[in-house]
Amino acid sequence: MTLHTEHKDARSADPRIAEIEELGPWFHNIHLPDNLQTMPNHIYGDFPARKWHRISPHLPGNLHGWTALDVGCNAGFYSIELARRGAAVTGIDVDPHYLAQARWAAKQCGMEDRVEFRQMQVYDLARTEEQYDLVLFLGVLYHLRYPMLGLDIVSQRVGKLMVFQTLTMPGMEVCTQTDGLDVDHRMRMQEEGWPKMAFIEHSLASDPTNWWAPNHACVEAMLRAAGMQVMGQLGHEIYLAAHAPYNPSCVSTWNRAELLAATGQSKEHEEVQ
């Protein structure tokens, strides 16, 4: 059943039905005022509300005075929910189609004054100085050609908390002794729980942008390497993280030159010196 068929009797009474269809296809099912939904027959059920129900109890109910960044905001579901709690939200995405949906949905929900949507790549954040109290980095990492670079950049934008989610390989095992490995003992890398990430050469689920699938141990290790500490796991593949004050990322200390080079800022940095 299409959205058109489901709501055809209401079309004359509510012009938003036609607007939803014109803005389609949708990936976020956003609940608009008066119980209208943008994707009521979503293949994943009420998505992403069901994921939000895992996350929302672990975030402050009152976000007035907070700034928030929604990386890969899609049609703006999470941005709108954070704005409803009082945050000043910036949502970024590379797809103008999703951003058009997000701006429309925010306006319908009366949140357009609390959310700004920008067309940006994750890597573009390296050229900003903005810090955000709360960063949502959900469902993006495995789409990045350069995942550790993306995580390093996003982590530097975090002021207080980051909620992180990514597609993973099955398994929750964690090897705790991975430091000091000798080059002749690399067989240990094949042990269950060794941090590793599968590379997807062609496509996964018919999506050519699905590049990576880290295991659970790798997610935690990558977050630590980005200067974060895992505060808790909020659900399957969902992590709450904050800066680790005694374990800063190497790209903010001794290896900063590599980050600057990778983001095309080496010359600019030299000119400032």
Side-chain angles (χ1 to χ4, degrees), residues 165-264:
Q165 183 270 330
T166 184
L167 172 79
T168 62
M169 290 190 285
M172 297 297 293
E173 300 82 7
V174 176
C175 284
T176 57
Q177 298 297 323
T178 60
D179 190 26
L181 184 69
D182 187 86
V183 70
D184 293 326
H185 298 123
R186 283 171 288 171
M187 287 293 293
R188 284 201 55 212
M189 294 180 180
Q190 296 182 356
E191 296 176 8
E192 286 190 355
W194 190 277
K196 57 175 67 76
M197 185 155 56
F199 175 66
I200 304 163
E201 180 181 1
H202 301 295
S203 68
L204 178 69
S206 301
D207 186 343
T209 72
N210 287 334
W211 290 109
W212 304 96
N215 63 8
H216 165 70
C218 183
V219 172
E220 292 191 329
M222 290 176 72
L223 286 168
R224 289 193 298 269
M228 309 298 290
Q229 56 184 330
V230 177
M231 311 299 290
Q233 192 162 5
L234 311 186
H236 180 55
E237 303 179 333
I238 307 173
Y239 302 80
L240 181 67
H243 280 291
Y246 304 109
N247 183 36
S249 169
C250 68
V251 298
S252 66
T253 54
W254 62 268
N255 200 29
R256 180 160 177 76
E258 182 172 353
L259 177 65
L260 293 172
T263 55

Side-chain angles (χ1 to χ4, degrees), residues 151-164:
L151 182 57
D152 278 334
I153 291 169
V154 172
S155 296
Q156 293 194 341
R157 304 276 73 81
V158 178
K160 296 178 181 177
L161 295 172
M162 175 168 69
V163 183
F164 176 84

Side-chain angles (χ1 to χ4, degrees), residues 35-270:
N35 297 318
L36 193 62
Q37 301 177 42
T38 59
M39 187 64 176
N41 299 311
H42 202 294
I43 187 173
Y44 297 130
D46 193 4
F47 181 87
R50 61 187 185 87
K51 185 182 293 184
W52 175 244
H53 292 157
R54 294 274 190 174
I55 297 169
S56 61
H58 303 277
L59 301 179
N62 185 348
L63 291 175
H64 284 85
W66 284 50
T67 57
L69 174 65
D70 183 5
V71 181
C73 63
N74 201 277
F77 176 94
Y78 300 109
S79 296
I80 292 169
E81 291 298 329
L82 295 178
R84 282 173 170 157
R85 294 191 178 196
V89 185
T90 300
I92 68 170
D93 205 289
V94 298
D95 193 327
H97 173 79
Y98 290 142
L99 291 171
Q101 292 177 340
R103 293 185 180 104
W104 181 87
K107 183 176 181 179
Q108 301 306 309
C109 295
M111 294 293 120
E112 70 270 29
D113 292 337
R114 302 204 63 86
V115 186
E116 177 189 359
F117 294 106
R118 304 176 186 171
Q119 186 173 356
M120 294 175 64
Q121 289 270 4
V122 169
Y123 314 110
D124 293 330
L125 291 168
R127 293 182 173 274
T128 72
E129 297 298 327
E130 295 167 283
Q131 290 277 314
Y132 301 89
D133 297 306
L134 173 63
V135 174
L136 301 188
F137 193 21
L138 308 175
V140 176
L141 185 85
Y142 56 98
H143 292 298
L144 299 180
R145 183 76 172 186
Y146 312 104
M148 194 67 226
L149 176 61
L151 182 57
D152 278 334
I153 291 169
V154 172
S155 296
Q156 293 194 341
R157 304 276 73 81
V158 178
K160 296 178 181 177
L161 295 172
M162 175 168 69
V163 183
F164 176 84
Q165 183 270 330
T166 184
L167 172 79
T168 62
M169 290 190 285
M172 297 297 293
E173 300 82 7
V174 176
C175 284
T176 57
Q177 298 297 323
T178 60
D179 190 26
L181 184 69
D182 187 86
V183 70
D184 293 326
H185 298 123
R186 283 171 288 171
M187 287 293 293
R188 284 201 55 212
M189 294 180 180
Q190 296 182 356
E191 296 176 8
E192 286 190 355
W194 190 277
K196 57 175 67 76
M197 185 155 56
F199 175 66
I200 304 163
E201 180 181 1
H202 301 295
S203 68
L204 178 69
S206 301
D207 186 343
T209 72
N210 287 334
W211 290 109
W212 304 96
N215 63 8
H216 165 70
C218 183
V219 172
E220 292 191 329
M222 290 176 72
L223 286 168
R224 289 193 298 269
M228 309 298 290
Q229 56 184 330
V230 177
M231 311 299 290
Q233 192 162 5
L234 311 186
H236 180 55
E237 303 179 333
I238 307 173
Y239 302 80
L240 181 67
H243 280 291
Y246 304 109
N247 183 36
S249 169
C250 68
V251 298
S252 66
T253 54
W254 62 268
N255 200 29
R256 180 160 177 76
E258 182 172 353
L259 177 65
L260 293 172
T263 55
Q265 300 179 86
S266 292
K267 185 175 181 180
E268 298 170 16
H269 183 69
E270 291 171 1

